[in-house]
């Protein structure tokens, strides 16, 4: 097994290579405006550090969000292109699941919530029974609307840190940004146990900003 994992659904441009036993190389850069510029060099760097080549891959793992449109599509299109070119499967995973898994690897146990920054004063979030078990669908909401329903739960992720007043117990010491290494480890576990994956399609959770005007004038040739 040789998995290439990548995620651009958050400000982190993150890539990792997993050989079926462990992560053999990884790259993590936080820059919300340079996903397209940084991703492919990161893939080259990770492969070079591991001494492996693209044609050795047995699969591609990609975080499918939720996340903003511009960043999210960079990772998903890249993953799909690699998979199609190399004729290997592409495995989609919820980006929040990767953060939850990383929190568990860092020692967090019990029920908790993961929240990332969705901009517009909102967060993408989901609730977890443990680091491997998500119990709600990913959602996007204003942090203030979550204070009561998530009362008492530990919260992790950049969204929780940014809006700490809306959460009960924010763990800023735990991973705040996505890690492809955690995503790759989670994917390797699911492949070994027959776990489920998501299709490589983006979880936007919002309508696109650009829309056709409601009452635009149609011009037809005479």
């Amino acid at each position: 097994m040789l998995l290439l994992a990548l995620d651009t659904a958050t400000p982190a441009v993150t890539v990792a290579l997993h050989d079926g036993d462990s992560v053999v190389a990884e790259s993590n850069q936080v820059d919300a405006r340079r996903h397209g510029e940084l991703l492919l060099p990161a893939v080259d760097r990770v492969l070079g550090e591991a001494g492996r080549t693209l044609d050795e891959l047995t699969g591609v793992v990609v975080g499918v969000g939720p996340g903003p449109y511009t960043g999210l599509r960079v990772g998903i299109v890249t993953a799909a292109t690699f998979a199609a070119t190399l004729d290997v499967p592409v495995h989609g995973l919820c980006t929040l699941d990767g953060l939850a898994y990383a929190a568990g690897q860092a020692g967090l146990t019990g029920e908790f919530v993961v929240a990332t920054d969705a901009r517009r004063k909102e967060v993408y979030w989901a609730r977890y029974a443990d680091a491997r078990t998500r119990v709600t669908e990913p959602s996007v909401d204003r942090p203030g609307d979550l204070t009561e329903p998530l009362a008492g739960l530990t919260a992790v992720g950049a969204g929780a840190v940014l809006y700490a007043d809306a959460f009960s117990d924010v763990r800023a010491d735990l991973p705040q940004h996505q890690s492809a290494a955690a995503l790759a480890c989670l994917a390797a576990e699911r492949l070994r146990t027959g776990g489920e994956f998501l299709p490589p399609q983006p979880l936007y959770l919002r309508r696109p900003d650009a829309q056709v005007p409601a009452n635009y004038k149609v011009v037809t040739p005479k």
Side-chain angles (χ1 to χ4, degrees), residues 113 146-155 160 163-171:
V113 60
L146 302 176
T147 301
E148 184 176 342
L150 299 180
L153 288 180
T154 296
Y163 300 104
D165 291 345
F167 296 93
S168 300
D169 176 23
V170 176
R171 290 287 303 273

Side-chain angles (χ1 to χ4, degrees), residues 167-185:
F167 296 93
S168 300
D169 176 23
V170 176
R171 290 287 303 273
D173 58 311
L174 295 177
Q176 295 183 31
H177 297 290
Q178 176 67 303
S179 160
L183 205 67
C185 290

Side-chain angles (χ1 to χ4, degrees), residues 64-66 93-97 112-115 123-129 133-141 146 150 190 196-199 201-205:
V64 299
L93 284 174
C94 175
T95 294
L96 300 176
D97 290 358
F112 61 94
V113 60
V114 174
V123 293
Y124 297 118
W125 68 277
R127 187 169 178 163
Y128 291 79
T133 310
R134 177 162 42 85
V135 294
T136 66
E137 291 298 318
S139 300
V140 57
D141 289 288
L146 302 176
L150 299 180
R190 291 191 180 182
E196 295 183 354
F197 291 91
L198 298 173
Q201 299 173 359
L203 293 174
Y204 293 130
L205 304 188

